[in-house]
């Protein structure tokens, strides 16, 4: 080292070292130099044309009457065994792959191109002052987003599934803040303080019915073809975003936003906040609305005109118009 010939090597080295300490990629809240706008430099797929998340513009949805109810299997039972909650340095992740149970946690139907087994769930959030969902709704970010990641049962491993557009299916839920806590989230929220540092795991006190984390109305959803929202950004995901948000108590949300930490970069501990990727270009893709979704998109909604026509009639025939 120290010879002049190595000058160029030294110039490129700091980037690599920094990337390595943050697990190769990070969010802007950790370090803008390895944040989402740089991911495509580490992983070309992240600059692809079918990336996630996206903005869901409810005026531009396309109704697909083939998108009926999703069939959930095992979601209504608390599986035997343990679920492990982990701070993986980017998010808090609940591993759903306990040996006995995973085979029975599946989704199919609802226009999904196969049967998919649940692997893990995790969250994306903002900060004490800002929302943190990944998908946005009519340009607005919501407070937090849940992702339940599933793999097509025809593949054995993630590596095998990722190169295929039908490889993965992710269920996404938005949250809305309520004053009262949502008791269904108590077990997860209680585990957070045990995994404050990156790399820590805790076995949850109990398993529970996965269904209780979801909205009560599951028929209304948005569907599009996209990617994982973290590197390697594999374009293997059939996305389902439920229309109805899940309620989360103000204090519960505060626990996500203020309890966990990113991997330490030196002596300073950085609170895990704003762990979301911003919306990516939709390009030529369409976002579809399920058969039962409330938002239908398309030209001016019927609601306005059904209401308008009696009003017009009233104006034309009513006391304010001159009677012949
Ligand atoms: C944050 O989310 C709430 C809904 O819970 C919404 O009312 C508000 O407009 C959002 N803020 C931003 C900046 O999008
Ligand atoms: C979680 O942390 C609390 C203290 O904050 C401790 O009492 C409890 O034993 C921990 N649970 C596990 C499973 O480590
Ligand atoms: Zn996610």
């Amino acid at each position: 080292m120290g010879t002049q010939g190595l000058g160029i090597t030294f110039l490129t080295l700091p980037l690599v070292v920094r990337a390595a300490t943050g697990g190769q990629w990070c969010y802007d809240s950790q370090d803008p130099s390895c944040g989402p706008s740089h991911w495509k430099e580490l992983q070309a797929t992240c600059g692809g044309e079918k990336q996630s998340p996206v903005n869901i513009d409810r005026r531009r949805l396309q109704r697909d009457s083939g998108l009926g109810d999703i069939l959930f299997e095992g979601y209504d039972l608390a599986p035997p065994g343990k679920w492990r909650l982990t701070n993986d340095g980017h998010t808090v992740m609940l591993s759903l792959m306990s040996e006995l149970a995973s085979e029975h946690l599946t989704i199919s139907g609802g226009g999904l191109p196969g049967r998919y087994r649940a692997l893990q769930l995790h969250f994306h959030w903002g900060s004490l002052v800002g929302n943190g969902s990944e998908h946005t709704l009519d340009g607005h970010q919501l407070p937090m987003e849940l992702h339940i990641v599933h793999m097509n049962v025809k593949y054995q491993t993630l590596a095998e599934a990722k190169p295929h557009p039908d490889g993965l299916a992710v269920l996404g839920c938005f949250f809305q803040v309520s004053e009262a806590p949502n008791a269904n989230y108590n077990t997860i929220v209680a585990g957070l303080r045990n995994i404050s540092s990156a790399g820590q795991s805790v076995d949850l006190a109990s398993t529970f019915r996965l269904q209780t984390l979801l909205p009560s109305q599951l028929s209304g959803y948005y569907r599009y073809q996209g990617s994982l929202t973290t590197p390697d950004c594999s374009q293997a995901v059939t996305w389902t975003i439920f229309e109805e948000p899940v309620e989360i108590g103000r204090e519960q949300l505060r626990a996500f936003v203020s309890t966990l930490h990113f991997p330490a970069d030196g002596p300073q501990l950085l609170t895990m906040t704003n762990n979301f990727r911003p919306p990516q270009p939709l390009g030529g893709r369409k976002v579809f609305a399920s058969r039962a979704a409330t938002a239908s998109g398309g030209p001016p909604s019927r609601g306005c005109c059904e209401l308008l026509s009696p009003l017009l009639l009233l104006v034309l025939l009513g006391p304010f118009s001159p009677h012949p």
Side-chain angles (χ1 to χ4, degrees):
M1 299 295 202
T3 68
Q4 278 183 334
L6 288 175
I8 289 170
T9 312
F10 272 79
L11 273 177
T12 57
L13 202 59
L15 229 180
V16 175
V17 170
R18 188 186 290 281
T21 58
Q24 303 215 323
W25 59 271
C26 75
Y27 292 105
D28 285 341
S29 50
Q30 289 168 270
D31 180 352
S33 75
C34 51
S37 61
H38 293 277
W39 293 353
K40 57 179 178 291
E41 297 154 23
L42 298 161
Q43 198 67 236
T45 323
C46 299
E49 295 191 330
K50 291 188 168 174
Q51 288 293 292
S52 295
V54 296
N55 176 48
I56 296 165
D57 183 344
R58 281 181 290 189
R59 296 161 309 175
R60 291 172 189 270
L61 295 170
Q62 185 160 315
R63 175 84 68 192
D64 182 346
S65 58
L67 297 178
D69 287 356
I70 294 168
L71 176 65
F72 293 86
E73 290 179 85
Y75 269 63
D76 56 347
L77 299 166
K82 293 242 189 264
W83 277 345
R84 175 156 282 212
L85 194 70
T86 302
N87 175 345
D88 74 356
H90 307 293
T91 184
V92 45
M93 187 185 83
L94 182 64
S95 174
L96 300 170
M97 289 289 286
S98 80
E99 330 70 59
L100 298 162
S102 62
E103 196 57 47
H104 303 292
L105 278 171
T106 64
I107 53 172
S108 57
L112 292 169
R115 192 160 158 263
Y116 293 77
R117 181 169 36 225
L119 301 180
Q120 51 106 328
L121 63 83
H122 62 266
F123 301 85
H124 302 272
W125 59 84
S127 69
L128 288 173
V129 296
N131 292 350
S133 69
E134 296 210 299
H135 290 88
T136 54
L137 206 50
D138 299 332
H140 295 290
Q141 211 174 4
L142 285 101
M144 185 162 82
E145 189 170 330
L146 161 68
H147 290 159
I148 311 183
V149 182
H150 301 71
M151 182 171 74
N152 197 321
V153 296
K154 77 182 191 189
Y155 303 119
Q156 299 304 309
T157 64
L158 261 183
E160 195 190 329
K162 278 175 167 182
H164 303 281
D166 68 352
L168 303 170
V170 182
L171 303 180
C173 301
F174 291 124
F175 288 84
Q176 90 186 3
V177 179
S178 59
E179 291 310 320
N182 178 345
N184 298 329
Y185 277 82
N186 283 351
T187 311
I188 290 177
V189 171
L192 295 180
R193 66 185 145 162
N194 294 76
I195 55 168
S196 148
S197 304
Q200 287 185 317
S201 290
V202 63
D203 282 332
L204 290 187
S206 56
T207 64
F208 47 84
R209 293 175 296 132
L210 212 47
Q211 171 191 303
T212 63
L213 299 183
L214 298 176
S216 50
Q217 178 52 255
L218 298 169
S219 299
Y221 59 86
Y222 311 121
R223 166 67 49 75
Y224 78 100
Q225 195 63 30
S227 75
L228 295 175
T229 66
T230 56
D232 55 10
C233 310
S234 289
Q235 300 188 145
V237 180
T238 302
W239 276 95
T240 302
I241 308 286
F242 293 110
E243 191 170 41
E244 189 190 3
V246 178
E247 291 206 332
I248 185 105
R250 194 172 298 282
E251 291 308 313
Q252 293 177 312
L253 179 62
R254 182 184 283 268
F256 279 93
V257 164
S258 61
T259 308
L260 300 136
H261 296 90
F262 284 126
D265 185 15
Q268 188 188 354
L269 265 186
L270 200 54
T271 307
M272 188 181 282
T273 58
N274 296 319
N275 58 349
F276 60 86
R277 184 190 201 188
Q280 304 297 302
L282 192 58
R285 291 175 290 172
K286 283 206 164 74
V287 181
F288 297 93
S290 71
R291 189 190 303 157
T294 307
S296 59
S301 85
R302 263 220 296 282
C304 90
C305 307
E306 270 165 2
L307 218 125
L308 210 69
S309 43
L311 272 176
L312 265 173
L313 223 69
L314 202 76
V315 169
L316 289 172
L317 307 173
F320 303 112
S321 62
H323 271 254

